[in-house]
Amino acid sequence: DAMVIQNPRYQVTQFGKPVTLSCSQTLNHNVMYWYQQKSSQAPKLLFHYYDKDFNNEADTPDNFQSRRPNTSFCFLDIRSPGLGDAAMYLCATSRGTGTDTQYFGPGTRLTVL
Amino acid sequence: SQKIEQNSEALNIQEGKTATLTCNYTNYSPAYLQWYRQDPGRGPVFLLLIRENEKEKRKERLKVTFDTTLKQSLFHITASQPADSATYLCALWGYQKVTFGIGTKLQVIP
């Protein structure tokens, strides 16, 4: 059974056109993360929510925003996608932070034309 | 600055042999280290966690070591199989977050 679901799996957008990526979880975990992973690079943490508390990484561009309306769902909004934002976006969850295992979704591959 | 180094070159080994992957780090004092497997076009999958006070951890054909003096973790897959072919990422907890390495691509040749 899928535990962390990401929709869509593939997203194509135009340069500058806002796009929203979706993540949902059936694990009832407190923490939800968004990572950006470019080809042959490490997943890079953009931000995470601990319950409703939002934690932004210092080097995450303002172009990236997130919403978590409830425990199960989290959204990644890219306000004005540039060509450099083309990447795989990974959502992950964990019960807590620290040693708790992160469970990843399958990712959304974003293409910017 | 903090740095995690994994051999970005692919590792090719013969089926049945032991694969050994390396994760080195600088400017970290991680309380623990994790290893994940990532298949092409998929999200990482957790494999093992080892804490700073543990020298070695095993799970089936997998073994992880953690040397805080050398600032290094080794990840071993014994009796490797073609199905073990994937990219393996190490991840460190430090500075209030988990940071991933670039991963090493393992190819097990039948």
Side-chain angles (χ1 to χ4, degrees), chain A residues 60-88:
Chain A
T60 298
D62 293 339
N63 198 26
F64 292 87
Q65 303 286 319
S66 185
R67 297 169 283 135
R68 189 178 185 185
N70 54 51
T71 300
S72 300
F73 284 87
C74 195
F75 300 97
L76 170 63
D77 301 307
I78 308 176
R79 294 195 295 192
S80 181
L83 298 178
D85 297 328
M88 175 76 88

Side-chain angles (χ1 to χ4, degrees), chain A residues 9 35 37 40-43 45 57 88 90 97-102 104-107 109, chain B residues 32 34 36 38 41-46 49 51 89 93 96-103:
Chain A
R9 293 293 315 278
Y35 288 87
Q37 187 177 28
S40 300
Q41 294 187 22
L45 182 64
E57 292 302 302
M88 175 76 88
L90 297 164
T97 55
T99 60
D100 287 351
T101 300
Q102 293 190 27
F104 283 82
R109 171 74 63 188
Chain B
Y32 68 88
Q34 298 176 328
Y36 285 77
Q38 187 173 24
R42 311 294 295 182
V45 174
F46 171 76
L49 178 150
R51 299 176 193 275
L89 308 167
W93 170 257
Q96 300 298 312
K97 67 178 182 181
V98 170
T99 301
F100 284 84
I102 194 171

Side-chain angles (χ1 to χ4, degrees), chain B residues 1 17 19 25 30 32-33 39 42 46-47 52 54 59-60 67 74-76 84 89 94 97 100:
Chain B
S1 63
K17 301 290 186 185
Y25 58 91
Y32 68 88
L33 185 150
D39 290 284
R42 311 294 295 182
F46 171 76
L47 296 174
E52 61 179 340
E54 297 174 320
K59 179 183 176 183
E60 297 173 353
D67 189 327
L74 299 179
F75 177 80
H76 307 272
D84 295 326
L89 308 167
K97 67 178 182 181
F100 284 84

